[in-house]
Amino acid sequence: MNMRDCPDLLEITPSAEVERVRHGWRAKCLQRLVRMDLPVPRSFAIPAAAVQTIAAGRSGGLPGLSALFETGDGLVSVRPSAVMPDWGGPGTVLNVGINDATHARLAGRIGRGNADAIYLSFVQSYAINIARLDPDMFAQEGDGALAHALRLYHDEMDEDFPQDPARQLAEVLRSMARAWDGPSARLLRQAKGAPADAPLGLVVQDMALALGPGLSGSGTIQFVDPVTGTPRVTGRFRGQHHGAAVGSGAETLYLTCDERGTSLEDVAPDIFADLVRFGVAARERLREEMQIEFVLTDGRISIIDAVRLQRSSRASVRIAVALARDGIIPRTEAVMRVEPRALADLLHHQVDPRSPRDVIARGINASPGAATGRIVFSAAAAQAAAAREEACILVRRETVPEDIRGMHASVAVLTERGGTTSHAAVIARGLGKPCIVGASGIGIDGRARTLHAGARLLREGDEITIDGSSGEVLAGAAALLDPALDEAFTQLLDWADAAGGIGVRANADTPEDARTARRFSAQGIGLCRTEHMFFDADRLPAMREMIFADKPADRKLALDRILPMQRRDFIELFEIMAGLPVTIRLFDPPLHEFLPHDREGLRELAESLDLPLSDVTRRVEALSEFNPMLGMRGVRLGITVPEIYDMQARAIFEATVEASRKGAPVVPEIMVPLVSAMREVELVKTRVDAVAAAVRNERRSDFTYRLGVMVETPRAALRAGDIAAHAAFLSFGTNDLTQMTYGLSRDDAGRFMGIYVGQGVYAEDPFHFLDNEGVGELLLVGARRARQQRPGITIAVCGEHGGNPESIDFCAEAQFDYVSCSPFRVPVARLAAAQSAINSRLRDKT
């Protein structure tokens, strides 16, 4: 063939200038296989520019196409070759070039039935996809089907089926090029991260027929388990055995011997050994675990293609670590090859991807993992189920602080309302439990104890499965995979830590959270929300007594009952963290969250306080607020009811003295929430300093502490310079800061957020991905002004964005000191921090 006759057809040879950006990943991969001297059929690459010309119809096709049919059986296949394999492309077209003459030659070599099947398959494909004829017209199979299809084509098109192979190929190329530019294909690849104008190359390859008198057929082979990542040869071979016809005698042979019966390894051990040898070579040369597509023709192997093996998250980790340990890729590349969010799948049970899924509802995947349990509709029912050692799933319209005990007792949570930073989402992530919020299409009737999911009616006690990774609710008990916190997982994170990057702490409210944080190698606690400790059954009565007290002295008496409990909490946290920093946020929520709101609860409270029901009802109503989010909470409560912060400061300092005597010196970090003015910090600091001095005198022990501010209001970010004068650190609480900056309720925005993102109002949900342009600018302004006032001040992020890889990259670029996230997101953050550091070094080199 004279290549000067068709300059846009590049034969893929070892020395050809095949470029991924021009010819696509498949063309480049085939060249590597050719360079490895594997038996690849003659192949040609058509560059993206030529494909665009073909799609636009600006030429009659490529010159010299007829030369492609001069070898072998005179048939070719056409495959897409985008820049990235994940971008997909139009389907492969096989057996291009078959006509009456070729059909007659094939019939003499492989039998008329086989030749008819090949010809019929192409006629059907061409008529449906290129000529755009009705698929139902060409559905006939069996004897006479070929003649019927050719006759139908003539009747519909007023011409015979094209006999010129070059014309067939030109039309196939044009159809595939135009399919790539179709609106559906464009949307699908954009969803996978491709730019709207992503180019497409095409590969034309001589057909290796899976037919012949000897062992013939086609198959795929891979060398690790795609779910677990463990070494294992798997795949299937579909073909003829001893010359049986494709239709009736074809059989599936498994590649290796197992309980399924006959294997290719048994039938043709030499061929099997060659395939394994090819796989080992491909792994080393392509630096990846590949799935190889092959064809046997009379016992002769042809390697048609090799693609990156599709794999689960757990397999991704194990494969990357194995490749690095074998010296095929560097350790830093292994770190870069694993998507940080994929690690979340390894920390929890997951629905086995091989099992059937009976989806009854979908919502926002607020906390990853999967669990099966029986439906309960209240925290009390969840606790009762846990007492019976029965797995249950708490189903609520939306959760409130009183539901925390029920969330602890359940294996998963499902809510009708809420978004990614709603109460249920944040708590479930902290507990490491699967959670779906904002589930569309469900209706909850708490009194009847029923759940409507579409047309289905479920009752309390019915079994469901929550897939918090996908956001799907499944009927019944699904097959689950165990967590994969194995040696490969640990090794990858050790390599990640060695790569450096921004610090990673954990949001931990309980000793259990702290132990989880240590298990995942968090560098300390970046946020301990003390209010969750007040909902325990033994503390809630004292808390309510304090709320109903009219005088400071009476409030102090009630809080004195809580003081030893808080002290024990902090001692345990300090001991678990063993010298690592612990940042304790002072009391934040409004007081009404600790009070009942139903009549039965109010009556029980009146009885416990020995007060008339009317007095209790009036007090509860007086404490209710039109907008509690912006009401008397955080530092505002600490200034107006200072006894609360006094008690907490004393508990912290007494715990500091006690824990320091037992182990490493403790330097607690006390964080003031919801600040908006410098004077608020001054007032709190004065009282905290006084408590510290009193404890030093009483315990005859010296200690230090660091006072900081949680920046959650836009004004605090803008006035960070003033605030920094009285703070050793600033930690941006991006959940509330996003809420206040946008004027959105994080609990309610899920109702319309999907529509907003879908219509391009927001690029992403700002509660899930940090808004770099708006909220991010406040972070940068606040950090810059704080550092100008106080060089060396610690700057951090402790909202849920702290576990988001894109947000971590933003914080690293801004040179923040650390991020803090829920304990089960710490591994994700550690890997994301390492990848950010590696990328930064690569940018510096260029």
Side-chain angles (χ1 to χ4, degrees):
M1 177 180 176
N2 189 343
M3 296 304 297
R4 289 178 295 179
D5 293 337
C6 43
D8 284 325
L9 280 171
L10 176 66
E11 185 169 1
I12 300 175
T13 64
S15 59
E17 295 183 4
V18 179
E19 301 173 11
R20 182 167 180 156
V21 293
R22 291 183 62 224
H23 301 98
W25 71 271
R26 177 167 270 125
K28 190 63 184 176
C29 181
L30 283 172
Q31 185 186 45
R32 288 169 175 157
L33 297 177
V34 170
R35 285 174 174 170
M36 293 164 56
D37 204 27
L38 297 188
V40 178
R42 190 183 61 147
S43 304
F44 295 86
I46 301 177
V51 174
Q52 290 171 345
T53 299
I54 294 169
R58 292 196 295 269
S59 72
L62 299 177
L65 291 181
S66 59
L68 295 175
F69 300 93
E70 295 173 354
T71 62
D73 291 308
L75 306 181
V76 299
S77 65
V78 185
R79 297 171 185 261
S81 182
V83 175
M84 299 294 291
D86 291 343
W87 294 356
T92 296
V93 180
L94 304 176
N95 302 311
V96 182
I98 191 167
N99 54 22
D100 292 346
T102 308
H103 171 254
R105 285 200 311 272
L106 287 173
R109 186 167 71 81
I110 62 176
R112 177 162 295 277
N114 290 335
D116 284 355
I118 292 174
Y119 200 175
L120 174 63
S121 174
F122 181 66
V123 171
Q124 291 171 329
S125 174
Y126 192 95
I128 295 167
N129 299 309
I130 285 81
R132 302 294 176 183
L133 300 180
D134 184 355
D136 293 338
M137 297 170 58
F138 292 85
Q140 182 176 328
E141 302 285 347
D143 293 341
L146 174 59
H148 176 72
L150 290 170
R151 187 169 54 253
L152 271 178
Y153 185 92
H154 179 276
D155 293 345
E156 292 295 318
M157 301 297 294
D158 290 329
E159 64 175 7
D160 289 336
F161 186 78
Q163 296 295 298
D164 180 5
R167 178 189 167 190
Q168 292 179 8
L169 180 56
E171 293 299 329
V172 167
L173 294 175
R174 184 176 295 110
S175 174
M176 294 179 72
R178 288 177 174 172
W180 175 258
D181 281 332
S184 297
R186 194 181 293 260
L187 288 173
L188 280 173
R189 64 176 177 267
Q190 282 184 258
K192 297 175 180 177
D197 58 350
L200 175 72
L202 293 172
V203 168
V204 180
Q205 187 178 72
D206 283 349
M207 282 293 301
L209 294 181
L211 297 164
L215 181 60
S216 302
S218 60
T220 59
I221 185 171
Q222 60 227 18
F223 306 92
V224 298
D225 188 297
V227 174
T228 66
T230 53
R232 180 182 172 215
V233 179
T234 58
R236 288 192 177 189
F237 173 67
R238 175 76 173 173
Q240 298 184 120
H241 196 40
H242 301 304
V246 169
S248 60
E251 61 177 301
T252 297
L253 302 179
Y254 294 93
L255 292 182
T256 57
C257 254
D258 60 16
E259 69 279 0
R260 292 173 293 196
T262 311
S263 73
L264 182 64
E265 186 179 21
D266 284 336
V267 174
D270 291 342
I271 290 175
F272 179 80
D274 281 343
L275 288 171
V276 172
R277 180 168 55 83
F278 294 159
V280 171
R283 179 178 186 264
E284 293 176 353
R285 291 287 294 275
L286 303 183
R287 306 167 68 249
E288 183 57 277
E289 286 291 351
M290 307 295 289
Q291 181 184 74
I292 294 176
E293 183 181 347
F294 66 94
V295 166
L296 295 186
T297 308
D298 294 339
R300 186 179 69 254
I301 301 175
S302 295
I303 302 299
I304 303 303
D305 203 1
V307 298
R308 179 182 181 273
L309 178 69
Q310 293 295 309
R311 63 201 66 177
S312 69
S313 298
R314 60 190 65 208
S316 293
V317 172
R318 187 166 284 173
I319 289 170
V321 170
L323 288 170
R325 283 179 169 163
D326 292 344
I328 295 172
I329 62 174
R331 291 176 178 180
T332 53
E333 186 172 339
V335 169
M336 295 300 293
R337 283 197 179 190
V338 177
E339 163 63 36
R341 288 186 181 86
L343 291 189
D345 293 343
L346 278 68
L347 305 177
H348 314 279
H349 286 89
Q350 296 290 321
V351 174
D352 190 329
R354 298 162 293 197
S355 67
R357 301 172 72 92
D358 184 4
V359 180
I360 59 175
R362 289 180 172 85
I364 298 170
N365 49 336
S367 183
T372 297
R374 300 191 181 279
I375 296 172
V376 295
F377 292 97
S378 68
Q383 289 176 286
R388 298 191 300 270
E389 297 184 351
E390 183 178 275
C392 66
I393 292 173
L394 181 63
V395 179
R396 303 281 285 164
R397 274 205 179 86
E398 56 189 336
T399 61
V400 293
E402 294 99 302
D403 290 319
I404 288 176
R405 283 173 287 172
M407 295 176 74
H408 273 280
S410 60
V411 296
V413 179
L414 169 66
T415 68
E416 184 179 355
R417 300 173 183 167
T420 54
T421 55
S422 63
H423 178 269
V426 172
I427 300 303
R429 281 195 293 270
L431 296 174
K433 300 197 174 187
C435 177
I436 296 173
V437 299
S440 58
I442 71 169
I444 298 169
D445 187 334
R447 288 191 174 183
R449 298 187 180 280
T450 58
L451 167 68
H452 286 271
R456 303 201 195 189
L457 175 64
L458 301 173
R459 303 184 183 279
E460 189 162 72
D462 287 348
E463 198 170 44
I464 60 173
T465 297
I466 296 294
D467 186 347
S469 299
S470 69
E472 293 179 337
V473 184
L474 312 178
L480 301 181
L481 298 175
D482 290 331
L485 303 180
D486 55 15
E487 191 268 342
F489 172 86
T490 303
Q491 180 66 84
L492 183 75
L493 286 176
D494 287 344
W495 290 342
D497 292 343
I502 191 171
V504 178
R505 298 190 192 180
N507 300 341
D509 306 334
T510 66
E512 182 182 357
D513 293 342
R515 280 187 280 270
T516 303
R518 286 304 304 269
R519 188 166 76 250
F520 293 141
S521 300
Q523 297 169 2
I525 293 176
L527 172 62
C528 173
R529 292 163 289 214
T530 55
E531 60 270 10
H532 293 162
M533 303 171 177
F534 287 77
F535 286 100
D536 286 351
D538 55 346
R539 308 180 190 197
L540 195 55
M543 190 65 190
R544 289 173 170 175
E545 184 180 326
M546 185 277 296
I547 293 171
F548 275 80
D550 294 321
K551 299 175 183 178
D554 294 337
R555 286 195 289 268
K556 184 177 182 305
L557 283 173
L559 289 166
D560 282 345
R561 293 169 54 194
I562 300 176
L563 173 63
M565 306 177 200
Q566 281 261 279
R567 184 170 58 237
R568 285 197 302 272
D569 292 332
F570 298 138
I571 289 172
E572 193 167 2
L573 285 180
F574 292 150
E575 290 178 347
I576 292 169
M577 298 314 292
L580 293 174
V582 176
T583 303
I584 299 168
R585 184 180 72 181
L586 296 175
F587 192 89
D588 180 55
L591 294 177
H592 74 84
E593 289 190 2
F594 296 87
L595 299 174
H597 297 281
D598 60 290
R599 189 163 184 81
E600 182 179 351
L602 290 171
R603 190 182 303 280
E604 290 177 359
L605 179 58
E607 184 176 348
S608 66
L609 295 173
D610 194 22
L611 291 173
L613 177 60
S614 57
D615 289 355
V616 171
T617 303
R618 278 195 297 271
R619 187 59 178 269
V620 170
E621 290 174 351
L623 285 171
S624 65
E625 297 176 291
F626 288 108
N627 193 339
M629 169 61 212
L630 303 177
M632 196 170 80
R633 51 165 288 218
V635 69
R636 302 157 195 168
L637 186 62
I639 289 173
T640 54
V641 188
E643 295 82 13
I644 298 176
Y645 281 10
D646 289 351
M647 181 275 292
Q648 289 194 301
R650 175 170 284 276
I652 292 169
F653 295 139
E654 290 179 355
T656 297
V657 173
E658 187 69 25
S660 296
R661 287 174 179 165
K662 296 179 180 179
V666 175
V667 180
E669 299 182 351
I670 297 177
M671 186 157 63
V672 186
L674 211 68
V675 166
S676 59
M678 177 182 68
R679 180 60 178 160
E680 291 172 322
V681 186
E682 289 178 330
L683 290 171
V684 173
K685 187 174 187 303
T686 298
R687 292 191 72 107
V688 171
D689 283 343
V691 174
V695 173
R696 288 190 186 103
N697 291 333
E698 294 166 10
R699 297 299 179 99
R700 299 184 182 279
S701 179
D702 196 18
F703 56 84
T704 59
Y705 78 97
R706 303 177 76 221
L707 184 81
V709 167
M710 191 169 182
V711 180
E712 303 164 88
T713 67
R715 191 178 193 279
L718 295 172
R719 303 306 301 169
D722 294 339
I723 292 170
H726 303 283
F729 64 91
L730 299 182
S731 189
F732 290 90
T734 52
N735 298 355
D736 278 351
L737 186 58
T738 297
Q739 186 169 227
M740 294 191 187
T741 303
Y742 274 83
L744 288 174
S745 165
R746 67 188 191 189
D747 294 311
D748 300 318
R751 299 181 185 181
F752 60 85
M753 190 56 68
I755 298 173
Y756 260 49
V757 172
Q759 296 190 12
V761 180
Y762 303 146
E764 299 284 356
D765 182 343
F767 292 110
H768 192 58
F769 292 89
L770 182 67
D771 165 31
N772 292 359
E773 296 174 350
V775 179
E777 185 172 356
L778 285 173
L779 265 63
L780 295 177
V781 168
R784 184 179 69 251
R785 293 179 179 178
R787 286 165 172 162
Q788 288 172 346
Q789 169 68 37
R790 189 168 186 162
I793 188 172
T794 299
I795 305 291
V797 162
C798 63
E800 283 298 301
H801 295 100
N804 178 280
E806 292 81 4
S807 307
I808 289 171
D809 191 55
F810 175 89
C811 294
E813 285 292 305
Q815 297 185 325
F816 284 16
D817 295 282
Y818 67 85
V819 295
S820 189
C821 56
S822 58
F824 282 92
R825 298 181 83 180
V826 166
V828 175
R830 287 167 61 195
L831 182 57
Q835 292 183 357
S836 180
I838 293 169
N839 279 327
S840 179
R841 288 195 290 270
L842 292 174
R843 287 193 297 267
D844 290 343
K845 288 181 180 179
T846 58

